[in-house]
Amino acid sequence: MRKSLLLILLLSFKLCATEMDVTSTAVLVPSQEKATTAVIHRAWVNLLSKYTGLSTYEIESANILEGIDLSSQIVRSYYKRVPVDSSNQPFWYHINTDADFLQQFVISRNLPIWPPKREPVYLWLVEEVDGEVQFASPQAEVMYWLKNWFEIKGVPLVFMNPLEAVDLSFNPEAVKNLSYEPVEYMTNLQPTANVLMLTIKQQENSFSYRLGLARENRPLAIRHKQFVNVTDGVMDVADFAQSQMADSFKLVASDFSDHTIAVVVNNLTSYDAVAQLFSYFDAHFLIEQTSLVRATNSRLEFRLSIKVKPDAFLRSVEGNRLIEYQPLGSANQYVFSFMQ
């Protein structure tokens, strides 16, 4: 029963709870003095990285923010104290901007758009101190930095708490050794789960990490690095996760063009399936309006007003695990099958 409940929760998160707020970000600063031009610039670099999936290095190298009054496009800003002592910059400077401005700015600069509805990364985290390897506590300091840096990079993160796990069959050494068991545990619950195994090792005057990121139909991505403080090390982990997760579907300026298409969805055999379909269309960030045209046995016909060309829309629904495109329709009609 508990395992079934966990599966339902994981599937719900996968389908419904992975939309990131891509209009906000933060940077670390030493004080609450008025933000300088340099601080605002750093915040905007983070914001564009979160929105596009490009690294901060790529954003900086492109010089796309030169000559722009960035402060005038901030609709809200505030400071928040870092509640841990491991940073020499004890405050976050947060900014929010207007969604329409941000999208138009990115399109005008011909930058990609990383859709805000994103797959989560499920994290198994262990810490190694004096040769002893243990699962990290949800209250561990490193968890604070992981949650914040993954949010800034635009990657949804789910911490897997071994104390709440059902029928856990592996120990912390399996995570450290990048064994298959932690991945298998998650994929038994969610076949498409992205599983991050991370070990943080505390040494005499520094730290190091070793990670493996497992994704469906891809080789295990492995990385290890030494660092002086936890803040910088975890930021590097989040950078790496972003580079991996943002390499899938993206939109470019040429994809955007208002269209109306006819969509048919077959194999809808229950009220729950219909409800899931309507929720999916309502939440889809490329659909402006959904109109039900006709309903017959196990089949619904829609008229969708979309923000992009049809081929871009089709790319956006690939791998969603809810509806699957069937290349059977006529011109301007697209047929899908609901996946049971």
Side-chain angles (χ1 to χ4, degrees):
M1 177 67 182
R2 289 181 63 198
K3 194 167 185 177
S4 298
L5 178 60
L6 180 58
L7 175 58
I8 292 171
L9 291 173
L10 287 170
L11 290 173
S12 298
F13 187 89
K14 173 78 172 179
L15 293 175
C16 305
T18 56
E19 183 138 3
M20 301 297 292
D21 177 7
V22 293
T23 63
S24 66
T25 192
V27 290
L28 287 168
V29 292
S31 71
Q32 297 187 72
E33 295 180 2
K34 183 179 179 180
T36 64
T37 301
V39 167
I40 293 173
H41 179 89
R42 285 199 295 122
W44 271 90
V45 168
N46 277 358
L47 188 61
L48 288 176
S49 176
K50 184 179 186 180
Y51 196 87
T52 64
L54 299 174
S55 69
T56 53
Y57 175 78
E58 290 172 306
I59 298 293
E60 288 277 23
S61 300
N63 292 322
I64 58 175
L65 294 173
E66 298 301 321
I68 301 172
D69 182 8
L70 299 173
S71 60
S72 66
Q73 301 300 333
I74 297 175
V75 298
R76 179 174 179 244
S77 65
Y78 61 96
Y79 291 91
K80 189 173 182 179
R81 179 177 286 277
V82 175
V84 294
D85 297 328
S86 60
S87 175
N88 57 6
Q89 301 186 89
F91 296 96
W92 291 106
Y93 173 65
H94 291 261
I95 67 167
N96 294 77
T97 191
D98 177 72
D100 291 335
F101 167 80
L102 186 56
Q103 178 173 301
Q104 291 306 313
F105 178 82
V106 167
I107 292 173
S108 70
R109 297 303 191 274
N110 203 31
L111 297 173
I113 293 177
W114 184 17
K117 202 169 186 68
R118 300 169 185 174
E119 294 182 0
V121 169
Y122 296 95
L123 170 67
W124 293 108
L125 175 65
V126 300
E127 295 181 297
E128 181 177 356
V129 181
D130 297 328
E132 184 177 356
V133 182
Q134 294 183 335
F135 283 113
S137 163
Q139 288 74 44
E141 182 179 321
V142 67
M143 275 306 306
Y144 171 82
W145 292 113
L146 282 164
K147 290 175 182 176
N148 279 273
W149 281 122
F150 271 68
E151 171 66 29
I152 288 169
K153 299 299 178 181
V155 181
L157 183 67
V158 180
F159 174 66
M160 299 305 298
N161 187 346
L163 298 178
E164 298 176 356
V166 180
D167 300 329
L168 193 68
S169 58
F170 60 90
N171 58 31
E173 292 286 345
V175 177
K176 176 187 175 182
N177 296 329
L178 305 183
S179 302
Y180 183 65
E181 289 91 339
V183 178
E184 184 179 41
Y185 181 90
M186 282 305 310
T187 54
N188 284 339
L189 298 171
Q190 168 57 283
T192 62
N194 308 294
V195 183
L196 177 62
M197 296 172 284
L198 175 62
T199 301
I200 303 290
K201 182 177 182 180
Q202 184 174 335
Q203 298 166 306
E204 186 174 351
N205 296 312
S206 64
F207 298 84
S208 65
Y209 74 72
R210 184 170 188 251
L211 66 79
L213 177 60
R215 301 174 65 195
E216 186 182 29
N217 298 325
R218 296 171 188 249
L220 182 69
I222 299 174
R223 183 176 175 86
H224 53 85
K225 192 172 182 178
Q226 287 189 312
F227 50 94
V228 175
N229 60 67
V230 173
T231 310
D232 294 340
V234 171
M235 181 175 65
D236 191 78
V237 172
D239 276 333
F240 179 77
Q242 182 196 51
S243 72
Q244 298 292 307
M245 298 303 296
D247 69 352
S248 52
F249 172 69
K250 289 184 182 178
L251 294 164
V252 295
S254 59
D255 288 326
F256 285 87
S257 178
D258 291 342
H259 281 74
T260 299
I261 59 174
V263 168
V264 176
V265 182
N266 295 313
N267 201 31
L268 293 161
T269 57
S270 67
Y271 289 115
D272 182 60
V274 173
Q276 287 186 59
L277 179 65
F278 273 93
S279 295
Y280 176 72
F281 282 164
D282 287 344
H284 199 293
F285 83 113
L286 294 179
I287 299 176
E288 291 275 21
Q289 186 174 8
T290 302
S291 301
L292 179 62
V293 176
R294 186 178 292 107
T296 56
N297 288 339
S298 304
R299 172 188 173 102
L300 295 179
E301 298 180 24
F302 297 90
R303 183 178 296 108
L304 301 184
S305 299
I306 57 177
K307 303 176 184 179
V308 293
K309 297 175 182 177
D311 64 323
F313 176 74
L314 292 178
R315 285 189 286 118
S316 76
V317 300
E318 288 180 358
N320 68 86
R321 300 284 167 176
L322 190 68
I323 55 175
E324 183 177 31
Y325 177 55
Q326 308 286 314
L328 306 172
S330 57
N332 209 37
Q333 183 186 67
Y334 302 91
V335 178
F336 296 85
S337 177
F338 188 84
M339 301 172 69
Q340 298 295 333

